[in-house]
Each structure stands twice: as C-alpha cells, then as structure tokens.
Amino acid sequence: MKPLEKLTKAQFISFCLMAFCSGVMIGIGGTAFLLACSMNIEEKLLAKLIGAVLFSLGILCIVMFDMKLFTGLISYIPEMGAKNLWKLPVCFLGNMLGVLFASILVYFSPLAEIAQAQSTAIMTAKLSADLWGIKALCSGALCGFLITLSIGAVKYAPRKGLSTTVGVMFPIIVFAFCGFDHSVANTLYIFFHATRFSGNAIPYLLLCVAGNILGGVILPILSLFRTWSEQPHETQANESAEK
C-alpha cells in the first residue's frame, strides 16, 4: 500500500479500483468473522478467535496485492504532504463502495440471515453502551495503532528475520479478537444493520475514523522523530571520521 506522489489518469483509476477491491476483501473477511462468531460452540471466545484469524486473511490479501485500504494509508500521513491528503477520502469512499458491493452479494447468499443477525448484535451493543462516543474514539485509536504495526511488518519483519505473513496477520488478529473499531469493517456491520438503522451510526463511524487516524499516525510520527534525532549524531560521526 505504497502512497503515490503524482497520479496519471490511469494511475488514479487504478488507485480507485484497488480501493474498491480492498473494500471487497474487508467485506469478505468481515462476513467470515460474523459467521465464526455465530458458531454454536460452548466457548464463545474460541469462536471469536477463529473469526479474527479468518478476518486477518483479508488484510493479508490486501497487503500482498498492494490494494489501497484507508486505515493502511493513514500510516503514510506524516510523509504524504498536504497535496496528497485527498487520497484519504477517495480511498475511504472506494473502500465503502467495495464493502457495499460485498454486502449486497452476501445479502443474496445463504449467509444473509446470519450476517444480519450478528451485525445487528454488534452494532446494537456498540451504540447502546454508555459513553459510546468516547469508546468509539479510543477503540478506533487502538485499532489504528495495530493496523500501522501490521503495515510496518512488510518493511521491518524481513530485516529482523521474522515472517512477514505472521507480522501482518498477528496485529490484525489481536484487534479483531479484542473488538477494536475498524472504520471500514464497521461500514459492513452498518450496511447489514440498515434494517434497524440508528441515527447514532454515522457519528459513531466518524468517531471511529478519527480514532483510526489518531492511533495510526503515532508510530510514523515517532519514527520520523527518531530519524530526525539521529541525524546530528550521524553528522558528527562523519565529521570525526573525516578528521
């Protein structure tokens, strides 16, 4: 999910299509998560863990094929520059359309009843909780932080001799298992929950977006600060070597 500095018309179309495909993958992964959570097994946490693993496969495909996911693009905000910030709303819109497309396909599949029931349960619990706005923001921030860790694994895991696949999937499994709010995935639950739509759903989604951005930029900003703080030391070392 590398950011593009300047886009030709063809690149812009490709960007939008990759954002759409990313939304489809979130829709598929989210549906798998809902299906797993509906499993009739004694230990509900085990069902949720299975769902989290299945959901992480969607993110893995997004990373492998360099699709454009809003929460992944957030990690590039500190180095984007103001002229490239338009990619965020465009990507989010593309993701939402992809999720909508996936939800329509699921709606006309045998999984419709299960997906709707689980989505309604999830959204009802979120929207009826006390201080739901603060919880949405904080939960979204935790999700954004973990998404950035997942995206960063592509770059840093090989340097440490670690598996990129595990590095990408593990933070996703953690956030999905914990139930942290992923703004794009939440659109899937909202679409399925549309028959019992609540007026709080949109504000909740916007707070999740804000939380994802807040949590997603923490590590990139710290990384830039570390790079900046090390520059004087490198300069001094070079000057000493020259002497």
Side-chain angles (χ1 to χ4, degrees), residues 40-106:
N40 187 22
I41 59 178
E42 184 176 350
E43 184 54 67
K44 289 298 181 182
L45 286 178
L46 176 59
K48 196 172 184 181
L49 178 59
I50 294 172
V53 173
L54 294 176
F55 180 82
S56 71
L57 292 175
I59 302 293
L60 180 62
C61 291
I62 290 172
V63 173
M64 286 175 59
F65 292 95
D66 197 25
M67 299 178 191
K68 308 303 176 185
L69 181 63
F70 170 74
T71 49
L73 205 60
I74 287 172
S75 63
Y76 296 105
I77 287 179
E79 59 188 72
M80 264 186 183
K83 292 183 179 180
N84 288 308
L85 291 178
W86 60 267
K87 296 174 188 174
L88 294 172
V90 170
C91 186
F92 188 69
L93 178 59
N95 291 164
M96 288 188 67
L97 291 175
V99 170
L100 177 60
F101 179 73
S103 66
I104 291 173
L105 294 180
V106 174

Side-chain angles (χ1 to χ4, degrees), residues 33 37 43-56 126 139 143 146 169-181 189:
F33 177 80
C37 290
E43 184 54 67
K44 289 298 181 182
L45 286 178
L46 176 59
K48 196 172 184 181
L49 178 59
I50 294 172
V53 173
L54 294 176
F55 180 82
S56 71
K126 290 179 182 293
S139 178
C143 175
L146 288 168
M169 291 179 62
F170 196 69
I172 306 304
I173 293 172
V174 172
F175 101 69
F177 180 74
C178 293
F180 297 147
D181 284 284
Y189 308 145

Side-chain angles (χ1 to χ4, degrees), residues 176-215:
F177 180 74
C178 293
F180 297 147
D181 284 284
H182 187 280
S183 54
V184 180
N186 277 359
T187 60
L188 176 71
Y189 308 145
I190 290 174
F191 287 146
F192 283 140
H193 185 60
T195 54
R196 300 181 183 180
F197 188 77
S198 169
N200 292 335
I202 299 303
Y204 191 95
L205 182 61
L206 293 176
L207 286 169
C208 291
V209 170
N212 288 166
I213 294 174
L214 179 64

